[in-house]
């Protein structure tokens, strides 16, 4: 026995200095049925010491490009763990656990995701009592590594959850769910994003593969983990989790997105397990401040109607008043009416809710047309169209006589068509007063301390004006003495009427506006530490002018154009910049006083041009003066309206182009952002003007925070490439500059844009561009360049045949391919070509094989099967043997079939 041990030690010491022999030795140990005798000797000889685990290695002469070396004992350790899981030798278990614990506790400078993947598998071959919280926490560390964690994620979809359930380790399962359901917050200048720490594909696969088992084992505990993640996000941003329906629904376009997956997981856990705790949770959700939880509550009541319906029927207030709950309530009525249609109390409750819905009550109090009221009530009653309750059917019949048309999708606001009129309670009362009485009443009510009461009066005043605009086209002098807030409400009411396509005379309205704006005190009032109603008035006046000039069918009289021009010039000369920080720069400008004024000035100029074929001199001159030291709002607005300005006065644009696109980077960016954001239509003359002036070229080198702006830039350039107006052989063309700039994000957008033109692009357009990108990004084999080379493999789906050129490019892509997810997409596309080009596909796969693609096993099997059938036996056998040497045996049957 001692002699055998000495012999083993001698062998192990020899192997340390003979790498090929060591690799072969561990390959044999990876498949032996008795690996146990070697374990202690390997430990004693230092084969499991922390320094033996290889970290990422930078490729020589390829700065920034790393490989993940394979740790030679990997196959042996996995084989040992598998066999010990079956035999459960206590000594081996103890040593194996020590090896695992030493590994997960070691603070590696850089993690090797291949070795992490191995130890994740080994952990779940340990006996149930040996798996600890530290082992689960290791998964979090591995997932949050800066390197690709797709191998770790793929394993999470298979074994760990099932094992923890098998071992009855709820504590560890909840800890694991807390990790895999976690999110990362990406802060932006205007808004934050919340994304899963896992790739959404693997998160979905993990949850779908294990959802039933989790539900049977610990549904509510698991549900609470996801609920808490949602709460953490909602407490930061209450506007998250905007989802069309709680059930799977065609209106939900992206089921796999993180927020949807959390909602669906909570829903499914509740649906899988009814208990007293479920009832308590639904009551908690019903009373939540967040509508998404109320919606889940109603969905769950619908699902467990027999057990939970009392929660719904005892809703504290009228649930129909919360419009966000509309779909779930409607669906409950539609699916469950048979359960309560013979219960007079519940039917009367439904009718009472409908009759007393705040929105419908407002319509009735305002004496709205019966057809509008019938329409709103029928939207709810349509859920009962199959009901046998006579009272309900009589109501439906009664309202159908008033509104006989079909109502499509009554439970979705986005699909609603028809009249929708909202109005506060007091609008009719206010409209009965003369303007003098009304102004005195408003001044009196300004003294009210109740914010609610003041708000109701303001909304009623706006409603009174918007419903009866002609009443406010004369005798406006009394409103010169009301508060700035009420002056704003008056103008806003008129604006609302115009937006509703009501027409009215504007002479006295504009005279009234001039009186306000020509008063020096209006511009001198200090609004420090209080609401700036001056800016409110400025903004609404600008909007009022824009809406009155944008559409000739509803425009004010042409003889008022000089007065309106005067108002605009007063506004622009007196208004100070106040740029709010919103979702993005364009949105901020749209909501700023100056942004609204400049927009109104240009829309007004377009109206003047339609009438006189001239750019109004005073406006043109003022914009020109402003361009000498332009505010951001002007530059964004000119960018937005650049095509319109070219139509009005192309020469003015050309003469001022250097001011419009200032040399100052921040100013220049503002114009470009405004232009690209709105340029859904690309005009050839403007494209060529900006190209010839060098602004597109400058945009290529700019750093735009908003991805959308970069995407639009790429769209413009690629569109003209496909029109054959951007030449790859011209170093000064924009397509050449774009590629030579070597910006990874931009070129990625280019690749995606070309991929999206699958139906219209030709091989003659694809190949030169493919060649150019390969030639450019293969010059330096760093990691970033390799990302582009790898991504180009997506164009394989655009071609019918792998010719020699494309074959060489695909080989390069295969060499650069590192992500398991990307390789799986590549392999799926290769399967479509293996019948026609087996030799080429085989050689491409041999390059991929160096990184051991492990996903899409069914596609790998198909490729190997076809290679054998096409007599590419050497390649097929090599692929099978390489997988088996790495401990992956899914090709064993295919290999044996053809050998």
């Amino acid at each position: 026995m001692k002699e055998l041990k000495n012999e083993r030690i001698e062998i192990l010491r020899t192997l340390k200095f003979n790498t090929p022999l060591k690799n072969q030795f561990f390959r044999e140990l990876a498949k032996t049925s008795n690996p146990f005798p070697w374990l202690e000797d390997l430990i004693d000889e230092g084969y499991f010491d922390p320094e033996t685990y290889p970290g990422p290695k930078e490729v020589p002469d390829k700065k920034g490009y790393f490989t993940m070396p394979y740790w030679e004992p990997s196959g042996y350790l996995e084989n040992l763990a598998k066999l010990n899981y079956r035999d459960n030798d206590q000594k081996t278990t103890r040593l194996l656990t020590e090896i695992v614990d030493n590994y997960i506790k070691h603070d590696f400078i850089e993690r090797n995701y291949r070795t992490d993947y191995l130890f994740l598998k080994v952990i779940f071959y340990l006996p149930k009592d040996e798996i600890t919280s530290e082992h689960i926490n290791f998964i979090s560390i591995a997932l949050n590594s800066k390197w690709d964690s797709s191998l770790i994620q793929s394993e999470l979809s298979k074994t760990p959850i099932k094992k923890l359930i098998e071992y009855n380790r709820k504590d560890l399962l909840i800890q694991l769910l807390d990790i895999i359901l976690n999110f990362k917050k990406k802060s932006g200048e205007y808004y934050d994003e919340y994304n899963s720490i896992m790739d959404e594909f693997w998160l979905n696969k993990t949850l779908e593969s294990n959802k039933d088992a989790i539900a049977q084992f610990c549904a509510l505990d698991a549900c609470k983990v996801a609920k808490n993640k949602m709460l953490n996000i909602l407490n930061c941003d209450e506007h998250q989790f905007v989802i069309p329906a709680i059930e799977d629904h065609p209106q939900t376009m992206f089921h796999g997105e993180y927020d949807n997956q959390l909602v669906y997981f909570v829903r499914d856990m509740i649906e899988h397990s009814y208990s007293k705790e479920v009832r308590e949770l639904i009551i908690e959700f019903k009373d939540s401040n967040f509508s998404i939880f109320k919606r889940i509550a109603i969905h769950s009541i619908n699902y467990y109607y027999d057990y939970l319906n009392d929660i719904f029927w005892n809703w504290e207030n009228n649930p129909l008043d919360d419009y966000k709950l509309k779909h779930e309530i409607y669906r409950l009525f539609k699916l469950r009416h048979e359960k309560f249609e013979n219960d007079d109390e519940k039917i009367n409750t439904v009718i009472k809710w409908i009759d007393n819905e705040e929105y419908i009550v407002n319509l009735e109090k305002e004496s709205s047309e019966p057809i509008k009221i019938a329409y709103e009530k029928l939207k709810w009653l349509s859920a009962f169209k199959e009901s046998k309750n006579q009272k309900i059917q009589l109501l439906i019949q009664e309202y159908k006589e008033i509104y006989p048309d079909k109502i499509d999708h009554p439970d979705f606001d986005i699909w609603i068509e028809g009249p929708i009129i909202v109005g506060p309670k007091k609008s009719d009362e206010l409209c009965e007063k003369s303007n003098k009485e009304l102004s005195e009443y408003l001044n009196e009510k300004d003294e009210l301390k109740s914010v609610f009461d003041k708000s109701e009066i303001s909304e009623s005043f706006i409603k009174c004006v918007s419903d009866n605009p002609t009443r406010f086209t004369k005798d406006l002098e009394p409103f010169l003495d009301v508060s700035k807030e009420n002056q704003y409400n008056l103008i806003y009411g008129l604006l609302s009427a115009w937006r509703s396509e009501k027409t009215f005379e504007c002479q006295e309205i504009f005279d009234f506006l001039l009186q306000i704006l020509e008063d020096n005190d209006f511009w001198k009032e200090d609004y420090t530490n209080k609401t700036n109603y001056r800016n409110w008035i400025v903004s609404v006046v600008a909007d009022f002018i824009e809406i009155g000039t944008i559409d000739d069918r509803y425009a004010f009289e042409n003889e008022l154009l000089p007065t309106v021009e005067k108002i605009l010039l007063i506004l622009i000369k007196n208004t100070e910049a106040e740029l709010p920080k919103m979702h993005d720069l364009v949105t901020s400008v749209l909501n700023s006083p100056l942004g609204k004024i400049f927009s109104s000035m240009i829309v007004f100029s377009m109206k003047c041009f339609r009438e006189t074929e001239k750019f109004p001199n005073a406006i043109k001159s003022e914009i020109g003066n402003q361009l000498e030291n332009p505010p951001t709002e002007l530059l964004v607005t000119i960018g937005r309206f650049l095509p319109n300005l070219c139509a009005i006065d192309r020469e003015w644009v050309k003469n001022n182009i250097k001011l419009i696109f200032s040399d100052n980077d921040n100013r220049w960016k503002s114009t470009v952002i405004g232009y690209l954001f709105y340029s859904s239509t690309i005009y050839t003359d403007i494209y060529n003007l900006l190209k010839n002036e060098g602004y597109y070229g400058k945009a290529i080198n700019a750093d735009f925070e908003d991805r959308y702006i970069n995407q639009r830039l790429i769209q413009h350039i690629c569109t003209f490439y496909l029109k054959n107006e951007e030449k790859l052989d011209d170093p000064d063309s924009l397509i050449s500059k774009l590629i030579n700039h070597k910006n990874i994000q931009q070129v990625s957008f280019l690749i995606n844009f070309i991929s999206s033109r699958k139906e219209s692009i030709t091989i003659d357009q694809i190949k030169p561009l493919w060649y150019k990108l390969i030639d450019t990004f293969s010059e330096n084999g760093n990691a970033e360049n390799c990302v582009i080379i790898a991504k180009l493999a997506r164009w394989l789906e655009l071609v019918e045949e792998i010719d020699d050129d494309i074959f060489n490019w695909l080989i390069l892509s295969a060499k650069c391919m590192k992500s398991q997810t990307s390789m799986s997409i590549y392999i799926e596309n290769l399967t479509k070509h293996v019948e026609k080009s087996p030799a080429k596909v085989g050689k491409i796969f041999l390059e991929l094989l160096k990184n051991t693609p492990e996903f899409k096993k069914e596609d790998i099997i198909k490729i190997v099967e076809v290679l054998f059938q096409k007599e590419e036996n050497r390649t097929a056998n090599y692929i099978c043997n390489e997988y088996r040497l790495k401990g992956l045996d899914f090709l064993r049957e295919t290999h044996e079939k053809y050998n």
Side-chain angles (χ1 to χ4, degrees), residues 259-385:
D259 54 350
N260 291 342
Q261 291 198 49
L262 283 181
V263 172
Y264 293 155
F265 187 75
V266 170
R267 173 200 72 188
D268 292 344
M269 291 301 101
I270 292 172
E271 288 183 2
H272 274 78
S273 174
Y274 178 73
S275 67
K276 182 181 177 182
E277 282 188 88
V278 166
R279 182 180 184 84
E280 293 169 355
L281 185 65
I282 298 309
I283 293 172
E284 176 191 332
F285 281 7
K286 185 205 76 153
D287 295 333
S288 171
N289 293 325
F290 301 113
S291 63
I292 187 64
F293 289 120
K294 292 179 184 289
R295 295 176 64 194
I296 295 172
I298 297 171
H299 173 90
S300 303
I301 292 169
N302 190 1
Y303 191 83
Y304 289 118
Y305 183 82
D306 290 342
Y307 304 101
L308 299 176
N309 72 84
D310 62 296
I311 300 175
F312 179 71
W313 295 114
N314 292 315
W315 208 275
E316 186 175 347
N317 300 308
N318 186 346
L320 275 57
D321 285 338
D322 190 341
Y323 72 94
K324 294 179 182 177
L325 312 183
K326 181 186 296 181
H327 173 72
E328 280 67 39
I329 295 174
Y330 183 93
R331 190 165 179 266
L332 185 148
F333 288 162
K334 184 176 181 180
L335 297 180
R336 300 300 177 191
H337 63 77
E338 289 183 0
K339 296 276 189 179
F340 60 86
E341 61 186 14
N342 295 321
D343 186 329
D344 288 342
E345 184 180 351
K346 290 184 173 62
I347 288 294
N348 288 336
T349 297
V350 170
I351 295 170
K352 180 181 176 183
W353 280 344
I354 295 173
D355 287 342
N356 289 282
E357 185 189 9
E358 184 178 352
Y359 179 54
I360 292 174
V361 168
N362 285 333
L363 290 179
E364 291 173 334
K365 285 190 174 182
E366 293 155 11
S367 300
S368 296
E369 295 177 14
I371 192 171
K372 297 173 184 174
I373 298 169
Y375 170 78
E376 292 300 330
K377 290 190 176 184
L378 278 172
K379 283 197 293 185
W380 285 113
L381 290 169
S382 64
F384 297 89
K385 66 180 179 181

Side-chain angles (χ1 to χ4, degrees), residues 21 41 43 81 233 252 379 525 595 639 664 670 675 700 825 839:
L21 194 59
D41 298 327
I43 293 172
I233 294 171
T252 308
K379 283 197 293 185
E525 186 170 351
N664 179 292
S670 298
Y675 172 64
I700 291 171
I825 297 170

Side-chain angles (χ1 to χ4, degrees), residues 111 143 151 271 430 670 874 898:
R111 304 203 69 83
L143 280 176
L151 276 175
E271 288 183 2
L430 297 186
S670 298
R874 184 174 180 181
Y898 290 96

Side-chain angles (χ1 to χ4, degrees), residues 512-525:
F512 170 72
L513 295 179
L514 264 178
Q515 283 182 274
I516 293 174
L517 298 173
E518 288 182 329
D519 183 353
N520 288 332
D521 291 338
F522 175 82
W523 298 103
K524 290 178 180 179
E525 186 170 351

Side-chain angles (χ1 to χ4, degrees), residues 595-688:
K596 289 177 180 289
I597 296 169
F598 286 125
S599 176
S600 181
M601 290 172 75
I602 295 176
V603 172
F604 170 81
S605 299
M606 290 158 57
K607 166 69 174 172
C608 292
F609 182 78
R610 292 195 298 273
E611 301 300 333
T612 66
E613 295 188 358
K614 291 181 180 180
F615 192 165
N617 286 327
I619 299 293
K620 178 164 62 173
S621 175
E622 182 58 34
I623 292 176
N625 292 336
Q626 293 274 344
L627 279 172
E628 295 294 335
N629 186 24
T632 299
E633 294 90 333
L634 175 61
L635 296 173
V636 172
T637 306
I638 287 183
R640 172 188 174 191
F641 288 106
L642 191 61
N644 307 91
L645 288 169
C646 284
I648 293 173
D649 194 334
R650 183 178 175 82
E651 287 305 310
W652 180 87
V653 172
K654 289 178 70 175
N655 293 337
N656 288 276
I657 197 74
K658 296 191 184 306
L659 293 175
I660 293 171
F661 291 89
S662 166
D663 289 336
N664 179 292
D665 281 345
N666 288 331
R667 293 177 181 175
W668 172 85
K669 266 190 182 180
S670 298
T671 312
V672 172
I673 287 170
Y675 172 64
L676 290 175
F677 187 90
Y678 286 98
S679 57
S680 54
T681 302
I682 312 170
Y683 296 94
T684 302
D685 56 341
I686 297 177
Y687 179 86
N688 288 330

